Every structure is written in C-alpha cells, then in structure tokens.
Amino acid sequence: MSLKHEAEILRRLAASMAVRLTLWYALLSVVLISAAGSALYRVLVDQLRHADSQILAGKITAVHTALGRHAGNTKALRHETRLEASTIRGVYIWVTRPAEGIITRSPSSNPILEGPRPFVGSPAPLPEKEWKWAAANGQRYRIMARSYAGNPPATIYVAMSMAQEDNFLAAYRRALLLAVVLALLVALGAGYLIAQRGMRPVARLAEIVDELGAGQLHRRVADERWPSELRTLAANFDRLLGRLEASFNRISRFSADIAHELRTPLHILRGEAEIALSRRRSPAEYQACIESAMEEYGRLSGMVDALLFLARAEQPDARLDKPVLDVREEAAAVCAFYQAMADEQDVALINEAGGLVAANSGLLRRALGNLLGNALRHTSAGGRVCIRTAIQPSLLQIIISDNGSGITPEDLPHVLDRFYCADAARLRQGQGTGLGLAIVRSIMQLHSGDVALRSELGRGTTVTLSFPIIATETRALH
C-alpha cells in the first residue's frame, strides 16, 4: 500500500469523521433539548393540574359553606353559587341531592348538564373524585365532585373549562418544536465547523503523508506539534517510515550488491571470450577457456539459487515442516559429505552433537553445511573443526567451532550480511558468493532461532545456532 493511498485514506477518514461528529453533535443536542423540554412540559402539566385542583377544591368548600348557611333558602343559595362561579371564567357549579336532583346550579347554561351525555344527579362514588370530561363540541373540562353526609346528603360538582390550559400547552408544544428545529440547525452548522476544526490536524497529517516519496523517507511527522489524540498516530507513522526507509535502503544496497557481484563473473566471461576470439587458438586453449567459463557459470548458478532461497525465506507466509530430529544424525550426514574435503586438507572433523531439535531437516543440513564449508576453507592443515551441542533452559544450541584463521574485529559485525566476504580474494577466485552466512541467518529466523559468532584472529571462530526447545523435545531429552 503506497503512502499516497494512506494519505487518501486519511483525508476520507477526516471528512467522514467530520460528518459523523456533526451528526452525533446535532443528535445529542436535539435529544438533550427534547428531553429537557419534555421534562419541563410534564412539570408544567402537573403544576397546572395541581392549580386547577386547588381552585376546584376551593369552590367546593365555599359552596358547602353557603349550603350550610342557607339550608332553607334556595334563592340565597343560588345567589351564592352563581357568585362563586362568576369569579373565574369557564367555571360551572351545581349541587344535587338524591331525592331532589339538582337543587342549584350556575350559570343557567351549563354545557356539561345540557350535552348529549349528561350525568345529572350522578353521585360521586367516593367522598371526593376528580376527572376529565369532553363535551359534544370537543371542549374539555376538569370536574371535581365531593359528597357530604348530612340530613339530607348532598353532592357538590365544580367543572372548569380546560380551553385556556389546552391553548397554553399547545403554544408551549409549538415553541418546543420550534426550539428543537432551531437547535438542530444550529447544531448542524456549529457542529460541522467544530468538527472541521477538530479534524484539521488529520487533514494536515494526510497532506504530509501525501508529500512523502522515496526521497523523503527520512522525514518524520512526529516532529510537528500535534494534538494529544494524534501523537500516537504520528509516532506510528514515524515507525512505519523508519521501517520503509530501512527496507528501501536494504533493497537499494541489495540491488547494488547484486549488480556488482554479477558484473564480476560477466566481465570475466566476456574478457576470456574476447581473448579466445582475438586470434585462432588450439583446441586445448579453447577447452581451458570453456572450463574457466564453466566455473563462472557454476558460481552464477549458486548465487542465483542462494538469492532465490533468501527471497523465499523472507516471505511472511513461509511455512516449515519441523519434525523432531536427532541432531547427531543430522550432523553426521553433513560431516560425511565434507569428510573428503577435510581429509584432503588434513583437518580433523569431529561430531560431538547430541539431543533433539524441532527443525526442517533440509534447512538444518544446509545451515550446517554452509558453516562446515566456511570452517574448512579457513582452517589450515593439522587443524580441527568440531560440532557439539549445549542445552540451555529454553534453547538447544548447536556449536560449530574451528581453530582456523579467525575473523578480524572489523569484519565480524558484517559477516552475516549478504555479499559480505572478509577475504575478498577468495570471493574473486570463485570460492564463495558472500551469501552462505546470510542463508544461515535466514534459516535460523525461519526456525524462530538465532545465530551468534565469536572469533579471534589467528585462533579460530565459533558459531552458535540457538533453537527454541518445545515440550516434546524436553521430554525426549530427559
């Protein structure tokens, strides 16, 4: 995935986050205002109901007092009743007795008693009851009735029109709806501006990433001042850029090394061919030229095989079959292959390895072969090369040591690098490709292990291959 693609993703993320933050901000504002308005609406309804109930209860108390004061005077009672009803618009009062029905009411035109569903003379089932009633024209009333025991008993009804209350609540609902709509519009506008301002650093980060190319991989984005929320992201980008820079530099060096190493044998082949063609040669001279060319072809073939192996080993999805192997048997097979070379150079090849290891047999033998080949090439006659093992708490170590020429301190940190050869003369003579130890390191990485070198000039070299021990190996070892 390219950095420009990453920058485009960041830009889209910033735009998407701005929209989503705006919507969430607007939704939260609407929900909060609606919840607050609804709560206030319920409080207002309760307060109005409580106020109406107090008014109705006060009217009933006043009429009951008048009823006791004017028990035998119907005219005076009617006057008191109408007087109480006239103080507040929309209030209707009437008094009933079981035997007589309505004994007084005010005013004379009562929409509740004259409607299609009158409840004239209906006694209150409880000492006091309050309810709502709708007239034929849709007008709503709040009615309170209270029964009094006496001789004779009576029930006082007081009704009050809810038209003013309903109009007030309807106006409140319209105002609340208007406030919610306005809050939504304001929240959308203000939220988008706030989100845009908040996402501006992300857009800036996208611009910086978009400007990065192969020549700017050294640049670091965390050097700028970022909000605390983006510092981790900027640090992660810096780590990504560091890895990309290291990979790019490694690939560049690898390409340059390949070109350099391939150029040498190609120049040799071309030079020998030009010399051979410069004049007529004898068959023996042509044969010598072809034999020399075959050596260079062999070196090129080995180099290509090694490069292909390294390329496959570095694939992230590389999988290995790693059965439990007997290290002594694997080392013995490799020693048998190199025994002739050791005898020819008068070098003692000693196998003291033992134990079990979970490894791929072919790769383990290749690593041991590369190390034994290097050791034999750098050990003079009368020397020795030894393979042994050591058990650590969680590691099995295969140790290959020799008493050969050793490696200089200047070369030791680089001998595991590709195409690095401490003895450049040997490399030019076709005795190596500079990839043997790099292959060993790749093999150990595939096995989740490690390779370490110790060397002292003139006293020999020791290479330690450390393999992790699994549970089955531990049981077998004990």
Side-chain angles (χ1 to χ4, degrees):
M1 186 178 294
S2 65
L3 290 176
K4 289 187 178 296
H5 186 60
E6 294 281 359
E8 183 62 25
I9 291 177
L10 276 177
R11 274 193 290 267
R12 292 180 181 177
L13 175 63
S16 175
M17 287 294 295
V19 173
R20 280 189 286 176
L21 287 175
T22 300
L23 293 178
W24 278 110
Y25 181 77
L27 178 61
L28 179 61
S29 300
V30 169
V31 169
L32 290 178
I33 293 176
S34 300
S38 300
L40 291 176
Y41 182 80
R42 287 194 296 270
V43 171
L44 181 60
V45 169
D46 290 341
Q47 291 295 324
L48 290 175
R49 182 189 60 77
H50 181 68
D52 290 347
S53 298
Q54 286 183 329
I55 292 174
L56 295 175
K59 295 298 181 183
I60 288 177
T61 301
V63 172
H64 179 255
T65 301
L67 184 62
R69 190 168 55 245
H70 305 291
N73 190 344
T74 304
K75 184 177 180 181
L77 179 61
R78 186 177 294 114
H79 176 73
E80 290 281 353
T81 302
R82 291 184 176 181
L83 184 62
E84 284 295 331
S86 64
T87 56
I88 299 177
R89 185 179 179 181
V91 173
Y92 304 94
I93 304 173
W94 66 97
V95 182
T96 65
R97 285 176 178 164
E100 304 174 41
I102 298 177
I103 61 174
T104 181
R105 67 177 184 175
S106 60
S108 57
S109 58
N110 190 330
I112 302 174
L113 300 177
E114 298 170 359
R117 296 177 292 165
F119 48 88
V120 177
S122 301
L126 298 174
E128 182 174 308
K129 181 181 179 182
E130 182 179 343
W131 72 98
K132 294 178 183 178
W133 189 81
N137 60 359
Q139 186 70 41
R140 297 195 311 150
Y141 295 87
R142 190 184 304 277
I143 302 174
M144 180 180 289
R146 185 179 298 169
S147 297
Y148 291 95
N151 191 17
T155 302
I156 302 174
Y157 295 88
V158 179
M160 185 170 63
S161 173
M162 297 179 63
Q164 186 175 1
E165 178 181 336
D166 289 343
N167 292 335
F168 178 77
L169 292 177
Y172 181 87
R173 289 192 296 270
R174 289 192 296 270
L176 178 60
L177 179 61
L178 179 61
V180 169
V181 173
L182 291 177
L184 176 61
L185 296 177
V186 172
L188 286 174
Y192 185 74
L193 293 177
I194 294 173
Q196 283 286 88
R197 183 177 181 85
M199 290 293 105
R200 194 175 299 166
V202 178
R204 172 59 182 158
L205 182 60
E207 292 177 2
I208 293 176
V209 174
D210 191 27
E211 295 171 357
L212 295 176
Q216 292 84 31
L217 292 178
H218 62 280
R219 183 175 177 181
R220 296 295 179 262
V221 299
D223 297 338
E224 299 195 15
R225 298 180 60 182
W226 299 106
S228 57
E229 297 82 3
L230 288 181
R231 289 173 188 166
T232 302
L233 180 61
N236 290 338
F237 264 114
D238 278 355
R239 285 192 287 271
L240 172 63
L241 289 173
R243 291 193 296 269
L244 288 175
E245 183 180 18
S247 299
F248 187 81
N249 291 337
R250 185 169 60 252
I251 292 173
S252 298
R253 289 194 302 269
F254 188 48
S255 300
D257 290 340
I258 291 176
H260 176 74
E261 297 303 325
L262 291 178
R263 183 175 57 185
T264 301
L266 290 175
H267 282 179
I268 293 173
L269 289 171
R270 182 173 181 174
E272 290 180 346
E274 289 177 348
I275 292 173
L277 295 175
S278 62
R279 60 183 177 83
R280 185 176 297 276
R281 304 280 178 176
S282 66
E285 290 175 325
Y286 284 124
Q287 183 177 358
C289 179
I290 294 174
E291 289 175 353
S292 176
M294 288 300 296
E295 292 181 2
E296 296 300 327
Y297 293 147
R299 183 182 172 212
L300 285 173
S301 178
M303 186 184 301
V304 170
D305 289 342
L307 292 174
L308 288 175
F309 173 82
L310 291 173
R312 287 193 297 267
E314 290 182 350
Q315 293 299 318
D317 57 347
R319 294 289 185 270
L320 287 182
D321 180 24
K322 296 187 288 186
V324 177
L325 304 175
D326 188 322
V327 179
R328 184 173 185 83
E329 292 181 1
E330 300 299 317
V334 177
C335 288
F337 181 82
Y338 282 93
Q339 188 62 53
M341 179 178 177
D343 293 341
E344 181 182 350
Q345 297 181 196
D346 191 23
V347 175
L349 193 55
I350 304 170
N351 179 14
E352 298 177 348
L356 302 176
V357 66
N360 181 274
S361 178
L363 295 182
L364 175 60
R365 293 187 181 189
R366 182 164 188 171
L368 294 177
N370 287 355
L371 294 175
L372 285 180
N374 276 349
L376 290 173
R377 282 194 296 269
H378 292 84
T379 303
S380 56
R384 61 194 297 270
V385 176
C386 179
I387 302 178
R388 58 187 177 87
T389 53
I391 305 298
Q392 300 296 332
S394 60
L395 297 173
L396 183 140
Q397 295 179 329
I398 302 177
I399 303 170
I400 299 92
S401 59
D402 64 68
N403 57 355
S405 59
I407 305 171
T408 64
E410 295 79 12
D411 293 326
L412 189 61
H414 308 288
V415 292
L416 293 175
D417 296 341
R418 298 172 184 177
F419 296 114
Y420 189 87
C421 187
D423 191 347
R426 287 182 180 269
L427 186 62
R428 287 192 299 268
Q429 293 167 7
Q431 298 185 16
T433 62
L435 294 172
L437 292 179
I439 289 176
V440 172
R441 181 169 61 179
S442 295
I443 290 174
M444 294 308 300
Q445 290 173 349
L446 287 173
H447 287 82
S448 302
D450 189 25
V451 55
L453 280 83
R454 290 186 297 106
S455 184
E456 190 173 348
L457 194 61
R459 302 188 64 177
T461 301
T462 299
V463 181
T464 303
L465 306 180
S466 300
F467 291 86
I469 295 178
I470 61 176
T472 55
E473 296 173 52
T474 304
R475 289 196 296 268
L477 289 170
H478 294 284

